Amino acid sequence: MINIAILGLGTVGGGVAEVIEKNQSEIKRVLGDNIHVKYILDIRDLPGVVRDINIIVNDPDIKVICETMGGKEPAYTYTHLALEHGISVCTSNKELVDAHGVELSRIAREHNCSYLFEASVGGGIPIIRPLRESVAHEKITRIAGILNGTCNYILTNMKSGKSFDEALKEAQEKGFAERNPAADVEGHDTARKIAILASLVTGKKFSYEQVHCEGITNITQQDIIDAQAHNMSIKLLGVYQDGYILTAPFLIPASSPLYGVNDVFNGIMVTGTQVDNLMFYGRGAGKLPTASAVVSDVIQCAKNINTNINNNFADLQPVSDLVKVPEVPEGQKFRILV
Ligand code: HSE
């Protein structure tokens, strides 16, 4: 039996407990053992939850922790503490991975445990491990991704006449949006995600502050109608390409595989010099898909107790060169994805 703890009983944390419960036999088949949620920690005083992280990190039964709290604190302090105790941490927290991922990965390596973050980008889509392993030998020339489920949900629903506010409210009710939805609609969440992906494929640490960031708050219903009239759709993209990294709304021609990625779905096109275009597609937000990605990391950690899984983050060096931004074509409101 592998005992784990979940930090944060929000949408994703609750989903992790549910996925582990529902997929017990599949987990047993791949892991050869059961996973048991021994503790759930939450800062709120809820029945059955613990509020003191020390109870968890001082329990020698605990081998893996899922950090699904979001935000920098107390997630950073708790993750740091767990890794120092040799407990692996699996997270969906892109803000923390972006801000402290390199440091936390080094601590994990020093203490023979792992810091994994599959759920931090693309919700349920396996993207971190494929980039880290399957295409590690490739020279990646571009990543262009619809990386925020909330924005994609809003833009898709505006096509059918819903207002921005109405669509955002629905995304919040469905559990897609961040606690502060400004992080979604102003592009910061996408900026963090493209910074994480670019870091994985370049060996340099891009941080979210280096990503030129535009959101979707200035997009009007008329923009959407105009795009449709030209056989294009408007999507918020995170783009990394040799020499630049940005988050902005783009016009996507109907010929692109990203054109038809709608609602909460994310799509990530990765281009390598040898493999050419790869397309990753799936639910980019939501309780069970995101939890499924966390559980995939838990299984990896459970198979590698007392071992560090190299997440390709510990040795990243900060990007020092200036990051360029492609201009919006003259007379246009949006860049076009070519
Ligand atoms: N708020 C995020 C989104 C959650 O809508 O994509 C998943 O990272």
Side-chain angles (χ1 to χ4, degrees), residues 104-174:
L104 294 169
S105 302
R106 287 180 186 158
I107 296 170
R109 188 165 64 185
E110 283 161 19
H111 292 85
N112 298 322
C113 58
S114 303
Y115 183 57
L116 299 186
F117 43 86
E118 183 61 69
S120 65
V121 181
I125 305 172
I127 181 68
I128 302 287
R129 201 173 316 145
L131 289 186
R132 201 176 71 212
E133 294 180 1
S134 316
V135 294
H137 60 286
E138 278 281 343
K139 176 170 169 45
I140 303 298
T141 52
R142 185 170 84 171
I143 301 175
I146 296 167
L147 296 169
N148 185 273
T150 301
C151 290
N152 210 36
Y153 186 88
I154 293 171
L155 293 174
T156 305
N157 280 277
M158 280 172 76
K159 269 190 200 173
S160 51
K162 266 189 196 142
S163 73
F164 184 99
D165 290 342
E166 212 180 338
L168 171 60
K169 190 163 172 282
E170 277 182 20
Q172 287 175 303
E173 284 163 3
K174 288 171 189 269

Side-chain angles (χ1 to χ4, degrees), residues 196-246:
I196 293 170
L197 296 182
S199 301
L200 275 174
V201 301
T202 56
K204 296 183 199 166
K205 178 66 181 71
F206 287 89
S207 81
Y208 128 87
E209 286 89 357
Q210 291 167 303
V211 181
H212 171 83
C213 186
E214 296 169 28
I216 63 165
T217 49
N218 292 332
I219 297 174
T220 63
Q221 211 104 35
Q222 191 57 46
D223 292 330
I224 288 173
I225 294 166
D226 290 348
Q228 277 180 301
H230 290 90
N231 214 14
M232 296 204 243
S233 56
I234 303 176
K235 304 283 184 194
L236 183 71
L237 296 186
V239 180
Y240 159 74
Q241 192 154 356
D242 258 353
Y244 67 79
I245 183 164
L246 85 159

Side-chain angles (χ1 to χ4, degrees), residues 302-321:
K303 283 181 171 172
N304 292 278
I305 305 268
N306 297 330
T307 307
N308 174 250
I309 300 169
N310 181 2
N311 66 5
N312 284 8
F313 244 56
D315 295 317
L316 294 182
Q317 296 302 319
V319 174
S320 50
D321 26 327

Side-chain angles (χ1 to χ4, degrees), residues 75-85 89 103-104 107:
Y76 170 73
T77 303
Y78 291 180
T79 301
H80 204 292
L81 197 60
L83 296 171
E84 280 180 332
H85 281 75
V89 177
E103 179 200 356
L104 294 169
I107 296 170

Side-chain angles (χ1 to χ4, degrees), residues 241-260:
Q241 192 154 356
D242 258 353
Y244 67 79
I245 183 164
L246 85 159
T247 292
F250 274 72
L251 286 166
I252 315 283
S255 55
S256 166
L258 293 171
Y259 173 87

Side-chain angles (χ1 to χ4, degrees), residues 314-335:
D315 295 317
L316 294 182
Q317 296 302 319
V319 174
S320 50
D321 26 327
L322 218 60
V323 182
K324 290 181 289 186
V325 181
E327 297 295 328
V328 179
E330 209 170 313
Q332 307 279 326
K333 186 167 172 185
F334 303 105
R335 296 169 184 84

Side-chain angles (χ1 to χ4, degrees), residues 3-21:
N3 284 289
I4 71 161
I6 298 171
L7 311 186
L9 190 55
T11 305
V12 181
V16 170
E18 194 174 328
V19 170
I20 289 171
E21 169 73 25

